[in-house]
Amino acid sequence: MKCQHCDKQAVFHITELESGSVRELHLCEDHARSYLNQSEVAAAAADEEAEGKPKGGGLTGPLGVGQTADELALLDQRSCEMCGITFFEFRNQGRLGCPHDYAQFEKELEPLIANIHGATEHTGRRPDRGPGGLPEGTEELTAVIGLRRGMKEAIGREDYEQAREQRDAIRAIEERWLGGAGTAAQGGP
Amino acid sequence: MRLESLTQSIGEWLRGTGPESDIVMSSRVRLARNVAHFPFVSRASEQDRADVERLLRERIAATPLGKGLEYIDVGRLEEIDRQFLVERQLISREHAEAQGARGVAIDRMEQVSLMINEEDHLRIQCMHSGLDLKAAWEQIRAVDDQIGTLVPYAFHPRFGYLTACPTNVGTGIRVSVMLHLPALVITRQIDKVFRSLHKISLAVRGLYGEGSQAMGDFYQISNQTTLGRTEEELLEQVGDVVPVLIDYERRAREFLVRETQQNVHDQVSRAYGILRTAQTISAEETMQLLSRVRMGVLLGLIGDVKIADINTLLVRTQPAHLQKLRGVELDTNDRNIERARYLRHHFEGGGTAGSSVN
């Protein structure tokens, strides 16, 4: 395959998430180097020029219209109560930290999801939780991630009372959802 | 499982059977799933990954389908064995190159593969030879149901199945069809076709998925969006466009035979000639030439080669397969020499008559 900017062999194959779609770049070593060295802003401008079309905000760009740098900086510092990932980390990696992020950052993710998929409502298959009366959504079970973190921190400051409470809470939730094959059973405090 | 035993077969995607198998190599459906009470893989601690791996391995083994599966601990495999699984499309390159506890469960037919701790905790894949998305979908739905009753998949009432990357959220489904489109490449129509596919939000990828380049005129067409449409609608989105592509490719092949018979005959004969006589040859060149010979056979320009043989060579001449067949590790230079020897040996006997005009 040829580089998309010259006749040399393309040796770098880059997948960019942007404007609600995935864009693939096939570049020779020289063009890949200059592409990767450009700052995000410069790259965006160059692409815009090269492709003759404006780009919307992607995973790594600002999310909505009218967001000031200050607002974005504040948003970046927000973190997930369960896994601790900051919004900044997500923007950098393009990967979320845990299922709770979809609830924690729901407002911020919604325009992004709408961009990618052109929709924000799932219409496909849904889990069948059986007769146990468990809800469809798994927020309650995902809370275990935060409890586990809290338990570790409690052990760290030698607050065993608190750690025990958290272990019991984890056990109760895991028992309900997994029938006692959870992780709190092994190696708890 | 002894991986060596797999070298004797060629795996589902190269079986070369099924509907439209002159153009459609394979139909594949994959689902991305996560366990609700662990961080996604990229944020999971070593302990988390080990816990997820154990939970999924044990629960998959406890399903009815579990009995027919072989589990491979990918984290403990040598690099060459991981590469071997990638070449057979049983694991992704990302999974091969990842760190920490991870594994894959596969069935004996190599149709089902369950990757644990790839980008998501669980990636279920079903692959069928030829154009048969419906069979792949029905099989994967059954697998997903069985595991889903034992594993609480992360789910959000509005966003659906939750995934590490928002590009997969909702159904978590990727429907893809691998096509062999040499005539569209030769007649330079391929870019035009791809541009129109992008316009209807379909993605085009190379042989080995995301980020891989197209080798040997093999292309994967798949859906880009996963939310807001049902699984069946997404299957249809991909399934509907495939007959159109098949038609384009057939017409391009007919055009080549009708208008440029001598040229195309020359091209495939030269490709065949190089494969039978080269003394050193790269994997990439081999695939490119095999692709042309494959087309030549289908057009009746080469008479003494079977499509199944070409499919076998496509996988056995790849680096890890070649080394496993030879039983030794080889550097690139030695591999290229060994590959040429393997090809010459293969075509010996049947290959002396050369190509025949029909």
Side-chain angles (χ1 to χ4, degrees):
Chain A
M1 181 178 287
K2 272 185 192 168
C3 169
Q4 56 195 54
H5 295 314
C6 67
D7 276 344
K8 283 189 215 148
Q9 173 83 6
V11 286
F12 284 82
H13 307 279
I14 302 165
T15 305
E16 291 278 16
L17 296 167
E18 60 180 21
S19 312
S21 66
V22 180
R23 188 169 63 115
E24 292 188 16
L25 293 161
H26 306 281
L27 304 168
C28 67
E29 204 171 338
D30 290 343
H31 278 107
R33 192 176 300 126
S34 62
Y35 177 81
L36 295 170
N37 283 343
Q38 281 167 335
S39 72
E40 250 172 44
V41 179
D47 283 350
E48 221 170 276
E49 206 178 316
E51 291 176 15
K53 63 176 186 200
K55 289 207 307 182
L59 276 180
T60 51
L63 286 166
V65 245
Q67 256 170 345
T68 66
D70 285 351
E71 280 166 352
L72 197 60
L74 269 177
L75 171 61
D76 275 347
Q77 284 168 25
R78 286 190 39 204
S79 64
C80 170
E81 292 160 12
M82 298 303 155
C83 70
I85 195 173
T86 62
F87 201 74
F88 178 74
E89 286 173 284
F90 161 63
R91 287 210 304 131
N92 264 328
Q93 303 157 5
R95 300 286 180 277
L96 291 158
C98 79
H100 181 67
D101 296 352
Y102 283 94
Q104 184 89 51
F105 304 121
E106 184 168 355
K107 232 179 70 204
E108 292 76 24
L109 286 176
E110 196 170 319
L112 176 70
I113 288 173
N115 248 341
I116 297 170
H117 301 284
T120 56
E121 299 275 340
H122 173 61
T123 56
R125 276 153 58 84
R126 310 186 82 87
D128 175 10
R129 301 275 182 229
L134 290 169
E136 215 176 39
T138 40
E139 267 293 284
E140 181 196 32
L141 180 56
T142 297
V144 164
I145 297 170
L147 287 167
R148 247 187 247 128
R149 207 155 65 107
M151 185 173 78
K152 253 186 219 146
E153 281 165 15
I155 294 168
R157 54 173 195 273
E158 300 187 8
D159 184 349
Y160 298 112
E161 179 70 34
Q162 171 85 14
R164 208 167 297 128
E165 271 173 34
Q166 273 163 331
R167 183 201 58 190
D168 291 346
I170 293 171
R171 278 188 180 167
I173 297 171
E174 288 189 339
E175 172 68 34
R176 199 163 116 79
W177 282 84
L178 290 125
T183 47
Q186 299 113 31
Chain B
M1 168 184 262
R2 285 179 54 78
L3 292 180
E4 278 71 15
S5 68
L6 291 179
T7 57
Q8 298 312 311
S9 67
I10 53 168
E12 180 67 14
W13 76 277
L14 287 168
R15 211 174 294 284
T17 56
E20 318 283 4
S21 56
D22 58 330
I23 292 171
V24 182
M25 303 296 289
S26 63
S27 305
R28 187 178 74 108
V29 179
R30 76 109 163 104
L31 294 171
R33 297 288 186 254
N34 287 278
V35 185
H37 58 312
F38 284 98
F40 294 135
V41 177
S42 68
R43 191 146 183 104
S45 65
E46 243 173 79
Q47 185 62 49
D48 289 334
R49 287 183 202 206
D51 286 343
V52 168
E53 193 267 344
R54 186 175 51 82
L55 175 80
L56 285 169
R57 175 167 38 82
E58 290 176 357
R59 299 225 159 179
I60 288 168
T63 61
L65 100 121
K67 285 179 206 70
L69 298 174
E70 293 272 358
Y71 188 78
I72 300 169
D73 184 343
V74 176
R76 283 170 189 263
L77 287 184
E78 299 283 327
E79 196 193 332
I80 182 170
D81 290 332
R82 298 197 303 265
Q83 181 59 33
F84 178 80
L85 294 174
V86 172
E87 289 172 6
R88 298 182 86 77
Q89 308 222 325
L90 294 170
I91 66 172
S92 64
R93 289 185 309 182
E94 292 73 17
H95 197 238
E97 288 158 17
Q99 300 292 316
R102 62 198 193 283
V104 63
I106 56 178
D107 73 327
R108 288 187 185 85
M109 298 280 288
E110 296 185 50
Q111 287 181 331
V112 179
S113 124
L114 302 154
M115 266 184 279
I116 298 177
N117 284 340
E118 207 246 19
E119 179 182 298
D120 293 295
H121 294 149
L122 181 64
R123 288 275 177 105
I124 310 172
Q125 164 181 295
C126 280
M127 193 153 50
H128 282 248
S129 214
L131 179 59
D132 203 351
L133 284 171
K134 199 160 169 272
W137 165 239
E138 267 160 24
Q139 186 174 26
I140 204 169
R141 197 174 50 181
V143 173
D144 187 45
D145 282 343
Q146 286 188 23
I147 301 171
T149 57
L150 297 178
V151 176
Y153 292 146
F155 189 85
H156 186 285
R158 192 153 71 92
F159 294 140
Y161 291 96
L162 303 178
T163 52
C165 185
T167 51
N168 294 315
V169 76
T171 55
I173 200 172
R174 181 85 67 227
V175 180
S176 51
V177 174
M178 178 139 50
L179 300 149
H180 184 220
L181 304 171
L184 286 176
V185 174
I186 293 172
T187 56
R188 296 174 199 276
Q189 297 178 79
I190 200 87
D191 287 339
K192 203 173 68 193
V193 171
F194 291 166
R195 275 198 299 274
S196 47
L197 289 176
H198 279 297
K199 273 186 204 145
I200 52 170
S201 339
L202 289 176
V204 181
R205 299 197 168 86
L207 196 50
Y208 288 104
E210 207 149 329
S212 71
Q213 62 174 316
M215 278 193 292
D217 313 318
F218 294 104
Y219 296 92
Q220 282 189 64
I221 315 294
S222 58
N223 61 304
Q224 271 198 18
T225 66
T226 54
L227 182 80
R229 296 202 219 187
T230 65
E231 290 82 356
E232 284 83 2
E233 286 167 341
L234 291 164
L235 276 161
E236 226 169 81
Q237 190 197 8
V238 177
D240 281 355
V241 82
V242 175
V244 181
L245 295 173
I246 291 174
D247 185 47
Y248 285 164
E249 171 67 17
R250 288 235 169 89
R251 275 197 263 170
R253 288 182 189 183
E254 280 161 24
F255 171 85
L256 284 176
V257 172
R258 199 174 57 237
E259 305 292 330
T260 68
Q261 162 104 23
Q262 257 185 342
N263 257 336
V264 73
H265 193 191
D266 181 61
Q267 267 196 36
V268 301
S269 301
R270 280 166 185 270
Y272 192 29
I274 293 172
L275 287 171
R276 287 185 304 167
T277 55
Q279 298 297 308
T280 167
I281 190 164
S282 70
E284 226 168 63
E285 186 181 3
T286 303
M287 187 166 286
Q288 192 56 44
L289 297 173
L290 284 171
S291 161
R292 291 296 146 94
V293 171
R294 189 176 190 276
M295 184 185 70
V297 173
L298 289 165
L299 293 179
L301 300 171
I302 296 176
D304 52 357
V305 182
K306 292 193 188 75
I307 289 296
D309 281 347
I310 304 207
N311 290 354
T312 306
L313 288 173
L314 276 169
V315 69
R316 289 199 181 157
T317 55
Q318 294 197 39
H321 273 77
L322 195 68
Q323 293 174 79
K324 292 216 76 85
L325 282 167
R326 282 288 168 267
V328 281
E329 292 209 19
L330 303 164
D331 66 17
T332 311
N333 274 336
D334 288 340
R335 276 205 304 273
N336 291 347
I337 292 168
E338 195 53 46
R339 183 177 295 112
R341 187 177 296 149
Y342 183 78
L343 286 163
R344 288 198 311 274
H345 179 76
H346 185 91
F347 286 119
E348 235 170 54
T352 45
S355 51
S356 59
V357 196
N358 57 345

